[in-house]
Amino acid sequence: MASFSAAAATTTTAATRLLPSATISAANRLSFPSSVTLKSLRSSPLLSHLFLRQKTTPRRVSSGRLSYATLTSPIRSVSDPEQLKSAREDIKELLKTSFCHPILVRTGWHDAGTYNKDIEEWPKRGGANGSLRFEIELKHAANAGLVNALKLLQPIKEKYSGITYADLFQLASATAVEEAGGPKIPMKYGRVDVSGPEQCPEEGRLPDAGPPSPASHLREVFYRMGLNDKEIVALSGAHTLGRSRPERSGWGKPETKYTKDGPGAPGGQSWTVQWLKFDNSYFKDIKERRDEDLLVLPTDAVLFEDPSFKEYAEKYAEDQDAFLKDYAEAHAKLSNLGAKFEPPEGFSLDDSSQEVQPEKFVAAKYSTGKKELSESMKQKIRAEYEGFGGSPDKPLQSNYFLNIMIVIAVLAYVTSLVMN
């Protein structure tokens, strides 16, 4: 089996985007000996839980001439909202110490980005189902280095066993964007996990960094997911985060003035000057191309070359609020692709559990001028109010005085007919 050190021996932060598959550097260094391979990682007590089919009991597995056993977190079909909220706080603390925003964004994107809208059956259709945790999918070229993200998230998964991997990946991705100064993303949760590596999608569903025809390639990949040109451009803006290392992706410089001092492990080439800040500088920098220390991939440049893409890229370069709004919507849509939810409608972590209490009837509110209504008049109004179905604790669904006016108008009309 090919050495795994090329994918795992540098830093944790990888490309922030699903498009393209350029691998970006991380903020903290996670190094392994050069002799470490995927096979040996699978047998490691530390990492075996990242790759094996999840069971609640130990299971002995053979891989060629190597045998090993594992006891891992049980698969959960429904995530616990309170545990997800607690996990979100742990992710925020992780971001403060590891500066791993880009690789967490990329993890959520790559788990969801395998979706094929033309396949109805779950989980064959791919999408946000937690399959990225298995070795067979981690070995896909576009996912190089994402084992580092799983290593960061696994302690949180073990601490909160009542959440699914699918939800954890998307929670981490959205939280990383928000904590980097990005928009609040309208996420929902309740994603069901796939149960084994045999349910992983085939390789080749994620985009490349330098295809012969960048515009056609992006459309082929993202249209397959059910996304449009506007969403392609908005999602591309996530490249405002992260760096690329040539020794891992084949793209970028080994070091620039913006990356030589980190944070985290130094080196690589970023798309923006402040590559841990989520804003619209990606579009500004791609448009101007005045700084040779900033990265521009073929799939970046095409955003200002293709007429349809350019319309949105120009807009986002000028209007950051428009970009943040459209990005939040596109990110939320991407995070739901292909997912199977329980309950079917999913649930939000930010929904208010308290219902709006109805306004109690206060007759004084209907006083006119400076003169307060008499108590007898208040009682009369209240009696009429309750006669129409209202009560002190349950206001009428429609305006009370509008009802009165309608009744008076109807009576006047009937009276005029009788008189005539």
Side-chain angles (χ1 to χ4, degrees):
M1 186 175 293
S3 173
F4 192 70
S5 59
T10 52
T11 57
T12 61
T13 310
T16 65
R17 61 199 306 245
L18 184 64
L19 84 227
S21 58
T23 305
I24 309 306
S25 65
N28 64 329
R29 188 181 299 274
L30 297 175
S31 298
F32 299 99
S34 58
S35 60
V36 173
T37 64
L38 274 171
K39 185 178 292 185
S40 63
L41 279 175
R42 289 183 65 181
S43 63
S44 165
L46 176 63
L47 295 179
S48 62
H49 55 266
L50 298 181
F51 303 115
L52 304 180
R53 180 169 181 163
Q54 307 301 301
K55 294 292 183 180
T56 56
T57 57
R59 179 172 181 260
R60 184 161 297 276
V61 185
S62 294
S63 177
R65 301 168 66 181
L66 175 67
S67 297
Y68 53 89
T70 184
L71 178 61
T72 61
S73 303
I75 293 297
R76 299 294 295 264
S77 60
V78 179
S79 292
D80 178 81
E82 294 306 315
Q83 289 196 27
L84 278 170
K85 291 179 181 179
S86 297
R88 180 167 59 185
E89 297 307 309
D90 286 10
I91 291 169
K92 290 179 181 179
E93 292 302 314
L94 176 66
L95 291 166
K96 292 177 182 178
T97 58
S98 299
F99 308 104
C100 55
H101 305 68
I103 199 172
L104 295 189
V105 175
R106 182 177 174 232
T107 299
W109 282 37
H110 281 219
D111 194 46
T114 59
Y115 175 63
N116 187 336
K117 64 179 177 58
D118 297 322
I119 301 176
E120 183 176 352
E121 183 181 352
W122 184 92
K124 289 184 179 180
R125 64 193 181 209
N129 56 31
S131 63
L132 185 60
R133 71 188 188 275
F134 292 112
E135 174 193 357
I136 188 171
E137 191 167 340
L138 282 172
K139 287 172 61 179
H140 294 178
N143 295 329
L146 286 183
V147 65
N148 295 327
L150 268 68
K151 185 176 181 181
L152 290 170
L153 292 174
Q154 185 61 26
I156 298 176
K157 177 66 175 72
E158 293 179 345
K159 182 178 179 181
Y160 303 106
S161 60
I163 63 179
T164 62
Y165 280 97
D167 273 346
L168 178 60
F169 293 161
Q170 300 308 322
L171 174 68
S173 182
T175 303
V177 169
E178 295 168 6
E179 291 298 295
K184 178 68 176 179
I185 300 174
M187 299 290 290
K188 69 175 182 177
Y189 298 94
R191 296 171 185 80
V192 177
D193 276 338
V194 296
S195 58
E198 69 279 1
Q199 295 176 311
C200 291
E202 72 281 2
E203 187 169 6
R205 294 193 183 186
L206 299 175
D208 297 327
S213 179
S216 297
H217 177 70
L218 291 179
R219 288 192 172 98
E220 178 184 357
V221 172
F222 283 88
Y223 284 9
R224 187 207 68 224
M225 300 182 210
L227 301 175
N228 57 34
D229 286 0
K230 175 183 175 181
E231 291 159 336
I232 292 173
V233 179
L235 290 171
S236 297
H239 248 177
T240 191
L241 301 178
R243 302 173 281 175
S244 176
R245 292 183 181 274
E247 68 272 17
R248 297 175 64 182
S249 67
W251 296 94
K253 298 179 179 180
E255 181 181 275
T256 71
K257 60 179 176 286
Y258 305 121
T259 64
K260 63 181 182 179
D261 297 321
Q269 185 176 14
S270 59
W271 284 265
T272 61
V273 175
Q274 294 180 288
W275 46 270
L276 287 178
K277 180 181 179 181
F278 198 99
D279 57 20
N280 70 333
S281 59
Y282 165 79
F283 295 103
K284 294 180 178 179
D285 294 333
I286 296 297
K287 180 180 180 179
E288 295 176 356
R289 295 204 198 184
R290 296 179 180 177
D291 195 333
E292 293 183 354
D293 273 344
L294 297 180
L295 181 63
V296 180
L297 296 170
T299 44
D300 301 318
V302 75
L303 300 182
F304 284 94
E305 297 168 353
D306 179 88
S308 179
F309 289 159
K310 184 177 180 179
E311 174 186 350
Y312 301 108
E314 292 278 4
K315 176 183 178 181
Y316 298 152
E318 298 296 327
D319 189 341
Q320 177 166 286
D321 290 341
F323 163 58
L324 296 180
K325 176 181 178 295
D326 290 349
Y327 177 84
E329 294 174 356
H331 185 122
K333 182 176 179 179
L334 175 66
S335 73
N336 295 335
L337 294 181
K340 177 181 178 182
F341 287 91
E342 290 186 7
E345 67 277 9
F347 59 86
S348 171
L349 299 184
D350 302 307
D351 285 342
S352 174
S353 60
Q354 295 183 345
E355 295 182 359
V356 177
Q357 296 298 318
E359 180 184 2
K360 290 187 177 182
F361 174 79
V362 179
K365 285 188 176 182
Y366 303 100
S367 300
T368 58
K370 297 182 179 180
K371 185 177 180 180
E372 177 70 19
L373 291 176
S374 65
E375 289 301 319
S376 60
M377 180 60 70
K378 290 179 183 179
Q379 293 298 325
K380 182 178 180 180
I381 293 176
R382 176 168 177 161
E384 293 176 350
Y385 180 80
E386 292 178 345
F388 277 95
S391 72
D393 298 318
K394 184 180 179 181
L396 294 174
Q397 297 299 313
S398 57
N399 185 281
Y400 166 68
F401 282 103
L402 178 61
N403 292 336
I404 295 293
M405 293 174 64
I406 292 174
V407 171
I408 294 174
V410 170
L411 291 175
Y413 178 70
V414 171
T415 300
S416 66
L417 292 177
V418 172
M419 295 296 293
N420 291 334

